[in-house]
C-alpha cells in the first residue's frame, strides 16, 4: 500500500508528524506488510509553521498512485486555495472513487476548494468552521467525520483517528488497534474518537 501525506510551506507540524508516526508503525509491527508512507510536496523541502524544514520524499505525482492521501493543515492552506495551478493538479491527482482521502484541520478547506466535500458532512479546526461553511459543505463541530472514502478530522490529536481509519481500512482492524495502542499513555489511555 502507498500512503501520501501532503505537506506545503507553513504546514502544522503535529498534523504531519503525528499521523506519519502512527502510519509508519505498520512497518514496525508487521514488517512483511507492503506499506509505504511518503511525505510529498511541490518543492524538495518544505518548512513548517514552527520553522522546521524537512525534505519531501516525492513530488505531487505520487498522489496519483497512492492508495490513501492525507492532506495536512496549517496557515499555508490559505495561500494554496488561491493557487489555481496547484488546485488544478490536486483535482487531477486525487480520486475518492479509488483512494482514501483524508484531511487534518484546515486541510479540509483544500478538499472543499477542489469540490471533494460538496454536499457532504465535514469538519475542520474550530477557527475554520465558518470558512468551510462557505463551500457547499454540511459543517459539523466533531473531531472526525467519514463518508465513504473521504474523511475529515479536526484538532491535532484527531490525526490519530485519521491514521487509524487509513490503517484499519487498508490493513485491518487488528493492525490499526495495535498501532494506536502503542502510542497510548500508560495507565490513562486517551479517549479518542474511533473511525
Amino acid at each position: 500500500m502507498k500512503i501520501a501525506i501532503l505537506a506545503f510551506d507553513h504546514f502544522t507540524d503535529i498534523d504531519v508528524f503525528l499521523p506519519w508516526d502512527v502510519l509508519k508503525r505498520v512497518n514496525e509491527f508487521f514488517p512483511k506488510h507492503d506499506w509505504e508512507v511518503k511525505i510529498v510536496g511541490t518543492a524538495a523541502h518544505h518548512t513548517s509553521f514552527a520553522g522546521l524544514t524537512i525534505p519531501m520524499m516525492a513530488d505531487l505525482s505520487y498522489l496519483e498512485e497512492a492508495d490513501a492521501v492525507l492532506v495536512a493543515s496549517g496557515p499555508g492552506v490559505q495561500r494554496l486555495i488561491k493557487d489555481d495551478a496547484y488546485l488544478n493538479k490536486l483535482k487531477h491527482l486525487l480520486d475518492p472513487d479509488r483512494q482514501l482521502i483524508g484531511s487534518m484541520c484546515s486541510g479540509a478547506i483544500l478538499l472543499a476548494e477542489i469540490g471533494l466535500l460538496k454536499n457532504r458532512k465535514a469538519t475542520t479546526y474550530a477557527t475554520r468552521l465558518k470558512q468551510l461553511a462557505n463551500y457547499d459543505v454540511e459543517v459539523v463541530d466533531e473531531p472526525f467525520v467519514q463518508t465513504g472514502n473521504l474523511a475529515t478530522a479536526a484538532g491535532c490529536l484527531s490525526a490519530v483517528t485519521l491514521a487509524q481509519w487509513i490503517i484499519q481500512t487498508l490493513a485491518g482492524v487488528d493492525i490499526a488497534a495495535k498501532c494506536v495502542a502503542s502510542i497510548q499513555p500508560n495507565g490513562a489511555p486517551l479517549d479518542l474518537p474511533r473511525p
Side-chain angles (χ1 to χ4, degrees):
M1 292 293 158
K2 295 182 178 183
I3 318 299
I5 299 175
L6 178 60
F8 40 80
D9 284 331
H10 298 134
F11 66 87
T12 299
D13 300 61
I14 195 169
D15 292 348
V16 168
F17 300 124
L18 182 54
W20 160 265
D21 184 280
V22 177
L23 290 164
K24 290 293 287 181
R25 286 171 189 258
V26 171
N27 289 330
E28 179 183 338
F29 296 124
F30 304 94
K32 293 182 180 177
H33 201 72
D34 186 19
W35 194 260
E36 175 180 274
V37 183
K38 291 188 178 186
I39 300 174
V40 305
T42 57
H45 294 80
H46 283 295
T47 302
S48 75
F49 180 63
L52 183 63
T53 299
I54 63 167
M56 296 296 102
M57 300 161 176
D59 61 26
L60 290 186
S61 65
Y62 185 80
L63 297 177
E64 189 169 30
E65 61 189 89
D67 299 291
V69 177
L70 193 158
V71 179
S73 71
V77 166
Q78 299 306 310
R79 178 185 54 82
L80 293 175
I81 61 173
K82 297 173 188 163
D83 185 335
D84 291 337
Y86 184 86
L87 295 170
N88 193 46
K89 283 181 187 176
L90 288 187
K91 281 181 192 176
H92 289 94
L93 295 171
L94 299 179
D95 182 358
D97 288 335
R98 62 175 182 79
Q99 297 171 306
L100 298 179
I101 300 172
S103 64
M104 273 308 307
C105 296
S106 64
I109 306 295
L110 271 175
L111 296 184
E113 186 68 39
I114 63 172
L116 291 183
L117 299 180
K118 188 172 183 176
N119 299 320
R120 292 180 181 266
K121 193 184 280 191
T123 190
T124 187
Y125 194 65
T127 60
R128 293 293 170 198
L129 289 170
K130 288 182 181 176
Q131 184 180 10
L132 184 59
N134 291 328
Y135 300 88
D136 293 320
V137 175
E138 183 186 343
V139 178
V140 295
D141 189 10
E142 296 176 15
F144 179 80
V145 176
Q146 180 249 324
T147 306
N149 285 346
L150 289 168
T152 53
C156 297
L157 293 182
S158 292
V160 175
T161 304
L162 193 58
Q164 182 180 5
W165 169 67
I166 290 171
I167 297 167
Q168 94 181 16
T169 304
L170 298 179
V173 173
D174 292 343
I175 294 174
K178 186 163 187 176
C179 291
V180 171
S182 72
I183 64 165
Q184 293 286 327
N186 285 344
L190 295 174
D191 186 21
L192 296 170
R194 297 288 172 237

